[in-house]
């Protein structure tokens, strides 16, 4: 009972503190921890269970009115998510992507590199139905990363190791492109920039811009990295402006030791800027490291997966030299969220930005919590 | 087959009101009798014509149960009992009984006085209706009649809310009403024991919602109040007399110091007396923490919240005021609203639903210009905030409740079956039970399989126990006994001898005799010997005796030999057995008909 009282007090303290930190805060508790949050429309997201050895749920949730109304937000009392579609998966879901313009989802997860396709709401029902599987040309025991096209062409880019990366056409279920290389590094992140180009980041941090129109084997990676064996890297792409602008993407690469390199693909030989973030990996799972760019807040980055917090940085002031940088904002809520007893050790599994609200993010953690928060930029306020 | 029938009354898919009919063990129970707030005509009441077209409901219903005081659960009660007609018992918890009439009267005033409606219940009807109410305590088994019993369980959600178990014999149903599985500042979480009802009835909307935490809703309220007060504005919170008002006051009081708020908070006088009454009820129903904090208090006395005086509305500077009535339709809250509406620094926070036609409803629809009495226009520049504080269970909560109660099946009301296939699969797969989703007006029938308890005589038990190890639930064993049912009440299983004695009957014995003809030249005696040896070699597992009186006995079956009168080489065997040895007797006859082995000397 004593512990309960302490926890209640701590939650109340957080409540008071949060009044000054957030203009809006929503805290939800999912039945299962999710490692994915994927937008399936302007007003809906998908989450999915990641437990191994048991059945997992894939849920499509409709946003509460408060989170998508563009005016009169004060007149919307609805603060809850609604489960609009649901389905069951036998395997844990580590990666989930939506094919824009369709009601199709693609997922992957242990124990192998195959992909599963799903149909949301077939026959006007609320079921997310499994369709079929796609296999990489080489079957591995690592789960595949997936990238879908922004323009909504029905194809998917996927791979678990660099050498098995391919683009599969969803209608014919056939591979229409595959990478010619025997590089067996693990794939950490993939991003389809246009129908002809994609960006690839390996677990070791090497970055490639691949043009599918140019045959031939994989070139040497774009930039050279500061060395550090055993480090894991992932990447985040700043919002694609248009198809023709693909090569002008800005890429942020994040290492498990808290190093961030920002590269402009127009001149990928050296980083645009970089920073040493005061973050150490408390979790043993490198796969949940996430770095993303804000779609509606220029030069703003979010980083998570190291602990129970989400860190926001403004890269505008960053310089090419390797310097320590402080965050603009830290979301601590997950470690204080109302959850089971091991809430202190919660680790953030994923985060995404709201497509048009500049400072709103959605984040999830290992204790099943799902938060939606709109942070206040203290620098602007003062 | 015994069955339970559940019919949610109402049309189409509309959610706004609860009224469910249950038929169980020959009894008819109405669960809740809510009003639909969205309609202005008779559609706001449940359609009782489903039960009976013209007459009163008394003979068709054994009782009515009301889960809590929200109008979408009790709003149509006076209409049902006084205008349609029901004179039987209406069950609800003590706080519900105390609060219901107050809310019903408030609502009646708005509908009739303000909007001039005619087909509505009167104040006297509310009073007459409440006279039929029987208040129940939590976890107390209440006998409605010889066969029907009900029990209330704590539901959280609001003061006095309960979940109800309805039981007839060994068949039972649990109705959840509105409940909450997460404790909050004032109320604990719902709780039920492993009562294993045949059906658990709940709302489908819970199962498909993932709720924002209560703390975040409270945070939003505190933040809005804080911001308004910081910029020098005034906050008006129109409330009904009971419920939300007290909750929000406790919230502001709890955080006032920590938030360093300097502005005064007022509570209009009409609220105070009722609040004291509410408070007394509160203490027994609320959770540990509140009891610890407030048991020392002398009723409704707050450090920072003072009684309001009309003149204060004109005071300069920031302040927060709780005023009745809740929908800004009349009285003090409307008076204050008119004074403050023109200033954009001010804010009005509506903590609940407002009925069509009221000022509350208009401003919540976004109206900025209001027509007041005397053709005066009021421009609304103040900030309008609509907040929802209701504590309801959600997807996670309903699974927890199912796990607690272990029902044999689940029934979800107010949902569209096609849109709930996933949910149905989820419940069915997780708990391996059926999930039903009747449409409004549709009846869902569940076939139950109730166990029939029977008293077994000790002597019979001992006899069975002596036969070997006790039967395993997975491997039932048949036993013999006589079932006596007396006066339609008790059922007893006794040994046949005891039954005969009790009933004063004599036992009849049935014996069969079969004549078998065999060809055998031996003497009668020798034929008998041949039969004896033959049977001994064939029927090794049975006891075969050659009796001195000239019969062969196999177990208890007797075989006699006599020569046929006309032909001495034809022997007639008489095989006689009692009906218990039917099988062996028949077998022996068949065997002997095949003939005897020829003796060699």
């Amino acid at each position: 009972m004593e512990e309960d009282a302490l926890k209640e007090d701590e939650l109340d303290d957080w409540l008071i503190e949060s009044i000054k930190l957030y203009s809006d805060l929503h805290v939800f508790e999912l039945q299962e921890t999710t490692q994915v949050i994927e937008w399936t429309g302007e007003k809906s997201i998908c989450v999915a269970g990641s437990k191994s050895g048991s059945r997992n749920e894939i849920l499509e949730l409709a946003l509460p009115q408060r989170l998508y109304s563009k005016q009169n937000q004060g007149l919307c009392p609805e603060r809850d998510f609604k489960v609009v579609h649901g389905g069951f998966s036998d395997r844990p879901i580590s990666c989930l992507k939506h094919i824009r313009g369709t009601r199709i989802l693609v997922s992957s997860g242990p124990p192998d590199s195959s992909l599963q396709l799903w149909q949301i709401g077939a026959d006007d029902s609320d079921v997310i139905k499994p369709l079929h599987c796609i296999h990489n040309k080489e079957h591995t025991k690592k789960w595949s990363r997936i990238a879908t096209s922004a323009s909504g062409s029905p194809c998917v880019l996927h791979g678990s190791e660099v050498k098995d990366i391919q683009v599969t056409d969803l209608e014919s279920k056939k591979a229409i492109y595959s990478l010619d290389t025997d590089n067996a590094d693990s794939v950490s992140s993939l991003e389809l920039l246009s129908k002809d180009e994609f960006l690839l980041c390996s677990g070791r941090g090497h970055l490639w811009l691949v043009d599918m129109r140019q045959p031939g084997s994989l070139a040497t990676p774009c930039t050279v990295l500061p060395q550090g064996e055993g480090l894991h890297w992932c990447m985040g792409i700043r919002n694609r402006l248009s198809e023709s602008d693909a090569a002008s993407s800005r890429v942020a690469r994040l290492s498990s030791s808290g190093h961030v390199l920002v590269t402009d693909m127009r001149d990928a030989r050296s980083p645009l800027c970089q920073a040493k973030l005061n973050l150490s990996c408390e979790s043993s799972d490198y796969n949940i490291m996430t770095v993303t760019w804000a779609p509606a807040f220029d030069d703003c980055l979010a980083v998570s997966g190291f602990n129970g917090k989400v860190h926001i940085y403004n890269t505008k002031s960053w310089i090419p030299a390797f310097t320590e940088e402080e965050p603009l904002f830290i979301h601590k809520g997950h470690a204080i969220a109302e959850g089971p007893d091991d809430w202190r050790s919660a680790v953030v599994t994923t985060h995404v930005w709201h497509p048009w609200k500049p400072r709103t993010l959605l984040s999830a953690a290992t204790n099943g919590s799902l938060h939606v928060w709109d942070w206040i930029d203290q620098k602007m306020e003062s | 087959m015994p069955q339970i029938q559940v019919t949610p009354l109402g049309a189409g898919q509309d959610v706004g009101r609860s009224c469910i009919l249950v038929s169980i063990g020959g009894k008819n129970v109405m669960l809740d009798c809510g009003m639909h707030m969205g309609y202005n005509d008779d559609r706001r009441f449940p359609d009782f014509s489903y039960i009976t077209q013209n007459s009163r409901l008394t003979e068709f219903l054994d009782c009515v149960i009301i889960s809590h005081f929200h109008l979408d659960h009790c709003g149509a009660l006076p209409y049902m009992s006084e205008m349609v007609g029901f004179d039987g018992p209406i069950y609800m918890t003590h706080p519900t009984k105390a609060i219901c009439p107050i809310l019903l009267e408030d609502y009646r005033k708005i509908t009739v006085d303000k909007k001039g409606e005619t087909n509505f219940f009167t104040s006297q009807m509310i009073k007459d209706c409440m006279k039929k109410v029987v208040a129940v305590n939590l976890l107390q088994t209440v006998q409605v009649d010889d066969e029907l019993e009900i029990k209330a369980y704590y539901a959280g959600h609001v003061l006095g809310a309960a979940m109800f178990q309805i039981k007839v014999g060994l068949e039972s149903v649990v109705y959840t009403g509105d409940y909450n599985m997460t404790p909050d500042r004032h109320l604990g979480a719902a709780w039920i024991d492993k009562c294993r009802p045949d059906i658990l009835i709940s709302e489908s909307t819970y199962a498909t919602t993932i709720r924002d935490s209560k703390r975040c809703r409270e945070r939003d309220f505190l933040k809005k109040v804080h911001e308004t007060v910081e910029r020098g504005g005034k906050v008006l919170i129109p409330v009904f007399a009971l419920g939300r008002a007290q909750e929000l006051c406790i919230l502001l009081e709890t955080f006032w110091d920590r938030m360093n708020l300097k502005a005064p908070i007022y509570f209009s006088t009409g609220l105070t007396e009722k609040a004291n009454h509410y408070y007394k009820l509160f203490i027994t129903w609320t959770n540990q923490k509140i009891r610890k904090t407030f048991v020392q208090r002398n009723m409704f006395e707050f450090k920072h919240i003072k009684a309001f005086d009309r003149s204060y509305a004109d005071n300069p500077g920031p302040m927060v005021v709780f005023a009745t009535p809740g929908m800004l339709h009349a009285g003090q809250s409307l008076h204050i609203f008119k004074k403050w509406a023109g200033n954009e620094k001010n804010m009005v926070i509506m903590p609940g639903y407002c009925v069509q036609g009221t000022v509350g409803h208009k401003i919540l629809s976004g109206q900025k210009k209001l027509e007041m009495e005397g053709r005066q226009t009021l421009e609304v520049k103040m900030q309008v905030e609509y907040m929802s504080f209701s504590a309801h269970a959600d997807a996670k909560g309903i699974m927890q409740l199912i796990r607690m109660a272990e029902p044999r099946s689940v029934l979800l009301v107010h949902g569209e079956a096609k849109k709930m296939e996933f949910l149905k699969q989820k419940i069915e797969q997780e708990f391996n039970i059926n999930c039903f989703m009747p449409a409004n007006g549709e009846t869902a029938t569940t076939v139950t399989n109730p166990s029939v308890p029977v008293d077994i005589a000790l002597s019979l038990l001992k006899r069975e126990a002596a036969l070997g190890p006790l039967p395993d639930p997975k491997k039932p064993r048949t036993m013999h006994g006589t079932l006596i049912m007396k006066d339609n009440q008790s059922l007893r299983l006794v040994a046949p001898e005891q039954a005969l004695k009790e009933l004063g009957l004599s036992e009849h014995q049935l014996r069969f005799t079969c004549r078998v003809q065999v060809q055998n030249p031996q003497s009668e005696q020798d034929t008998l010997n041949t039969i004896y040896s033959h049977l001994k070699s064939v029927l090794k597992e049975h006891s075969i005796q050659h009796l001195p009186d000239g019969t062969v006995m196999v177990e208890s079956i007797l075989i006699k030999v006599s020569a046929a009168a006309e032909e001495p080489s034809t022997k007639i065997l008489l095989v006689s057995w009692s009906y218990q040895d039917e099988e062996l007797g028949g077998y022996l006859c068949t065997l002997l008909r095949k003939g005897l082995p020829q003796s060699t000397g």
Side-chain angles (χ1 to χ4, degrees), chain B residues 15-277:
Chain B
V15 184
R17 82 168 96 60
S18 292
C19 186
I20 300 167
L21 293 178
V22 173
S23 272
I24 174 174
K27 304 287 171 186
N28 294 325
V29 177
M30 179 182 285
L31 301 170
D32 280 338
C33 192
M35 169 105 71
H36 195 307
M37 311 286 271
Y39 293 115
N40 286 330
D41 50 29
D42 282 357
R43 284 175 299 175
R44 62 177 142 218
F45 299 126
D47 185 8
F48 299 116
S49 66
Y50 179 84
I51 307 171
T52 172
Q53 293 287 330
N54 287 311
S55 56
R56 296 174 74 77
L57 299 172
T58 315
E59 57 180 291
F60 298 96
L61 290 175
D62 292 282
C63 70
V64 174
I65 297 174
I66 301 292
S67 61
H68 64 288
F69 62 65
H70 278 158
L71 291 174
D72 55 341
H73 288 257
C74 72
L77 192 63
Y79 169 79
M80 193 266 310
S81 72
E82 307 311 304
M83 292 170 82
V84 179
F86 175 72
D87 301 311
I90 301 172
Y91 294 98
M92 57 182 79
T93 60
H94 289 274
T96 311
K97 182 179 178 184
I99 299 168
C100 237
I102 302 174
L103 289 187
L104 286 168
E105 180 55 34
D106 274 348
Y107 186 64
R108 192 204 65 78
K109 266 203 222 129
I110 304 173
T111 319
V112 174
D113 301 349
K114 200 75 179 92
K115 294 158 78 210
E117 302 248 356
T118 47
N119 188 28
F120 212 79
F121 47 83
T122 62
S123 295
Q124 187 56 44
M125 286 181 186
I126 296 174
K127 294 194 178 94
D128 292 338
C129 171
M130 295 313 288
K131 288 194 189 116
K132 299 171 184 170
V133 169
V134 177
V136 302
N137 292 315
L138 285 178
L139 304 177
Q140 169 199 10
T141 302
V142 175
Q143 294 288 146
V144 178
D145 60 33
D146 284 344
E147 292 158 316
L148 174 63
E149 58 184 52
I150 64 172
K151 181 154 70 164
Y153 288 92
Y154 187 77
H157 182 56
V158 288
L159 186 63
M163 306 188 285
F164 279 88
Q165 180 195 44
I166 298 108
K167 203 163 168 183
V168 178
L170 283 173
E171 288 174 276
S172 66
V173 152
V174 167
Y175 171 58
T176 66
D178 283 348
Y179 64 100
N180 186 30
M181 297 300 287
T182 324
D184 64 27
R185 223 170 283 282
H186 323 96
L187 298 168
W191 179 87
I192 193 165
D193 51 12
K194 240 192 245 307
C195 54
R196 300 209 172 98
D198 290 283
I199 312 177
L200 177 79
I201 304 175
S202 193
E203 275 290 327
S204 58
T205 46
Y206 290 175
T208 52
T209 307
I210 297 184
R211 288 199 198 274
D212 189 12
S213 72
K214 189 92 187 276
R215 261 197 180 73
C216 282
R217 292 168 205 270
E218 292 174 340
R219 187 204 98 95
D220 202 31
F221 171 74
L222 290 170
K223 184 166 163 54
K224 295 274 156 39
V225 168
H226 178 76
E227 278 168 0
T228 308
V229 154
E230 286 276 284
R231 64 174 181 239
K234 297 169 163 61
V235 184
L236 171 64
I237 308 168
V239 284
F240 272 109
L242 300 170
R244 204 61 71 210
Q246 285 72 22
E247 199 185 310
L248 295 176
C249 280
I250 292 171
L251 189 63
L252 278 178
E253 172 88 352
T254 311
F255 290 103
W256 205 247
D257 292 323
R258 284 156 104 179
M259 286 170 65
N260 206 18
L261 290 161
K262 299 279 189 310
I265 314 178
Y266 300 111
F267 197 77
S268 74
T269 43
L271 288 164
T272 334
E273 316 121 27
K274 290 188 182 143
N276 285 342
H277 175 55

Side-chain angles (χ1 to χ4, degrees), chain A residues 51-307:
Chain A
K51 267 190 321 237
S52 40
S54 71
R55 203 190 56 185
N56 286 285
E57 285 176 6
I58 304 179
L59 302 172
E60 187 186 37
L61 308 176
L63 252 62
Q65 207 185 9
R66 252 179 177 269
L67 292 176
Y68 64 76
S69 67
K70 295 195 169 146
Q71 54 201 10
N72 287 338
Q73 206 197 27
L75 298 181
C76 305
E78 278 309 308
R79 301 178 65 94
D80 307 323
F81 274 109
K82 197 116 186 75
V83 178
V84 282
H85 293 98
F88 299 101
S89 164
D90 289 323
R91 49 172 87 198
I93 298 196
S94 305
C95 186
L96 183 73
K97 296 283 173 194
H98 171 237
I99 310 278
R100 219 166 290 195
T102 71
R103 295 298 277 149
I104 310 262
L105 292 170
V106 187
S107 74
S108 68
D112 60 43
S113 58
S114 61
L115 304 183
Q116 290 74 45
L117 257 70
W118 309 84
Q119 167 97 30
I120 305 175
D123 308 319
D124 199 31
S125 80
D126 69 332
V127 173
I128 297 180
K129 209 175 67 171
L131 292 174
H132 54 263
C133 291
I134 294 175
H135 299 280
N136 289 34
K137 61 178 193 261
E138 285 180 47
H139 199 74
T140 70
K141 286 205 169 60
K142 298 179 208 157
W143 52 272
S144 292
R145 274 27 178 197
I146 308 169
T148 53
S149 154
S151 62
S153 61
C155 65
V156 65
L157 169 69
H158 58 105
S160 61
E161 288 176 351
V162 179
K163 59 185 165 81
D164 70 8
I165 289 178
Q166 66 187 63
V167 175
T168 304
D169 177 80
L170 293 176
E171 276 154 19
S172 66
K173 298 174 201 164
K174 292 202 163 46
I176 54 178
Y177 171 86
S178 57
L179 207 50
D180 178 19
T181 176
D182 49 15
N183 184 330
D185 282 353
S186 65
V187 174
S188 173
S189 314
L190 284 171
E191 194 89 19
L192 253 179
L193 298 175
S194 66
K195 64 175 172 56
D196 304 311
E197 288 173 300
F198 68 86
L199 275 167
L200 154 67
C201 176
S202 73
R204 292 213 279 155
H206 294 299
L207 179 66
W208 286 272
L209 172 62
V210 178
D211 189 332
M212 294 188 271
R213 294 166 295 197
Q214 289 171 14
S217 53
L218 197 62
T220 48
C222 306
T223 58
V224 181
L225 289 169
Q227 283 325 295
E229 282 307 316
L231 289 180
H232 180 86
W233 291 78
C234 68
M235 81 173 167
I237 318 289
R238 195 168 75 163
N239 59 313
R240 283 83 57 94
L241 302 161
S242 68
E243 289 237 341
S244 57
D245 246 339
S248 70
S249 303
R250 201 168 281 197
V251 179
R253 273 174 292 166
L254 170 71
S255 85
S256 49
S257 59
H259 187 161
V260 175
L261 272 173
V262 179
T263 308
D264 186 321
M265 295 314 292
R266 285 171 297 194
D267 182 4
R269 287 165 303 167
S270 56
L272 192 63
C273 57
Q274 56 182 310
K276 168 91 181 83
L277 310 179
N278 197 2
L279 294 170
S280 60
C281 214
E282 286 166 38
S283 130
S284 56
D285 187 0
Y286 292 140
N287 290 313
I288 56 175
M289 269 168 45
T290 315
V291 59
T292 57
W293 291 90
F297 193 153
D298 283 348
D299 305 316
C300 210
L301 264 186
V303 169
S304 72
F306 289 78
N307 46 35

Side-chain angles (χ1 to χ4, degrees), chain A residues 13 18 29 31 55 79, chain B residues 219 258 396 426 429:
Chain A
D13 285 340
S18 73
E29 216 179 298
Q31 272 187 270
R55 203 190 56 185
R79 301 178 65 94
Chain B
R219 187 204 98 95
R258 284 156 104 179
K396 186 171 179 171
K426 182 177 150 126
Q429 284 176 36

